[in-house]
Amino acid sequence: MTQVIACIDGTNISPAVCDYAVWASLRFNAQLEFLHVLDKSEYPTESNLSGNIGLGSREALLVELAALDEQRGKLALEQGKLMLDAARQRAIAQGIENPGSRQRHGSLVETLIEMETDIRLLVLGKHEDHLSQHLGSRLENVVRTLHRPILITTASFKAPERVMLAFDGSPTTRKGVEMVASSPLFRGLPCHLVMVGVESDTAREQLAWATSSLEDAGFKTEARIIDGEVERVLCDYRSDHAIDLLIMGAYGHSVIRRFLVGSTTTSVIRNASVPVLLLR
């Protein structure tokens, strides 16, 4: 059974992650599970301090430091359990029946890979302080590794009322159109299709296919072809039309998908004032 998985870490973005996951779970009518992973680099299961310079002969101090490290790990584990319980109670108050929770010690990416077949949608929050120069290693690794839809949230929740799908006519973004058309996640919401590039017969034909696919599924659709630099076009359109959520295909070689590799991806996700749904 596939489900919505929400990763929480106790920071200020966790409530928004919880609320977006609840929103998606209710729209999907899918099970919701909260996940908390204690990173093994920060909370190792075993400590070996014998390599510390000047401490090799001070066994009592080594034992004490190891005990403190173990205690720190236990406190983090207990804090995580309290966070998971708080997230469950928040979800229940919003209408979720029996949300699940899972706590793991290790790597977030490795944990999600193990769970991948059960994930219908992964919900992650972006840490603003970690995005000054890059996406943040864990978030970027998850996006690059996982082949499931990933919703990257902002720090505050707003139920989406208008969504925008970046489209380039490629097989990946055509698949994205089909996923949106067949999914209950955005059912009943206006969908804006934006194609970045020079207007041509081919572009108009591709956009017409995307528009009819969404309209046949019951979506009210507005479609545009806009020439310009990809990031600026998408950001300006999002702002001008009060878009609440941006939908994009992740990775590849077309103009839109190259946009999701390297510094441009970093810039858009970092500067986005709305959540970004990455489709694989």
Side-chain angles (χ1 to χ4, degrees):
M1 180 179 66
T2 58
Q3 53 193 338
V4 176
I5 301 294
C7 296
I8 60 172
D9 58 7
T11 61
N12 66 319
I13 64 173
S14 290
V17 169
C18 177
D19 292 345
Y20 274 107
V22 167
W23 170 81
S25 178
L26 292 173
R27 301 281 296 190
F28 278 134
N29 190 26
Q31 177 67 27
L32 171 60
E33 182 169 62
F34 294 102
L35 173 67
H36 174 244
V37 178
L38 281 171
D39 194 295
K40 59 187 176 184
S41 65
E42 297 179 30
Y43 302 100
T45 52
E46 296 181 1
S47 296
N48 182 358
L49 304 173
S50 59
N52 282 270
I53 297 175
L55 296 180
S57 61
R58 303 182 184 183
E59 293 184 5
L61 181 56
L62 287 173
V63 170
E64 184 177 353
L65 288 172
L68 288 172
D69 199 41
E70 181 182 0
Q71 182 64 19
R72 187 170 72 97
K74 289 180 178 179
L75 289 173
L77 192 68
E78 186 60 31
Q79 181 187 30
K81 291 178 180 178
L82 292 174
M83 288 188 299
L84 288 170
D85 184 62
R88 290 188 70 256
Q89 294 306 315
R90 187 182 183 99
I92 290 171
Q94 296 181 59
I96 300 294
E97 294 185 10
N98 194 30
S101 65
R102 189 181 309 200
Q103 190 173 49
R104 291 290 183 268
H105 189 283
S107 160
L108 175 61
V109 173
E110 291 173 1
T111 299
L112 291 172
I113 289 173
E114 292 175 4
M115 301 171 61
E116 186 167 11
T117 56
D118 295 327
I119 298 175
R120 184 168 186 176
L121 174 69
L122 177 66
V123 185
L124 295 169
K126 65 174 184 178
H127 294 270
E128 300 293 344
D129 56 337
H130 292 166
L131 294 172
S132 57
Q133 297 298 327
H134 53 80
L135 269 177
S137 58
R138 285 192 293 181
L139 176 56
E140 186 167 14
N141 286 339
V142 169
V143 171
R144 289 183 177 277
T145 304
L146 213 64
H147 291 82
R148 288 291 185 270
I150 302 173
L151 178 60
I152 301 173
T153 79
T154 49
S156 59
F157 172 75
K158 180 183 183 297
E161 297 177 359
R162 298 177 191 82
V163 301
M164 178 176 76
L165 196 156
F167 180 73
D168 64 10
S170 66
T172 296
T173 55
R174 289 173 74 94
K175 181 180 177 181
V177 169
E178 293 169 347
M179 290 175 67
V180 171
S182 62
S183 171
L185 189 60
F186 303 114
R187 192 74 41 81
L189 301 182
C191 183
H192 293 244
L193 280 165
V194 177
M195 197 170 190
V196 181
V198 178
E199 189 165 349
S200 65
D201 290 342
T202 299
R204 284 191 292 270
E205 181 180 342
Q206 292 171 333
L207 197 60
W209 171 87
T211 301
S212 62
S213 296
L214 290 172
E215 289 179 344
D216 289 348
F219 284 86
K220 180 181 178 181
T221 306
E222 183 173 335
R224 293 279 306 279
I225 301 174
I226 305 173
D227 192 18
E229 192 273 324
V230 176
E231 179 183 357
R232 177 48 49 201
V233 167
L234 295 179
C235 290
D236 287 349
Y237 190 95
R238 184 192 69 221
S239 176
D240 293 343
H241 293 81
I243 300 298
D244 299 311
L245 189 145
L246 171 62
I247 309 166
M248 303 191 70
Y251 299 112
H253 303 290
S254 68
V255 173
I256 288 291
R257 287 173 291 151
R258 277 202 307 271
F259 161 76
L260 281 170
V261 180
S263 60
T264 308
T265 299
T266 302
S267 177
V268 168
I269 295 180
R270 180 179 67 237
N271 295 323
S273 57
V274 299
V276 179
L277 175 63
L278 301 179
L279 301 178
R280 300 303 302 273

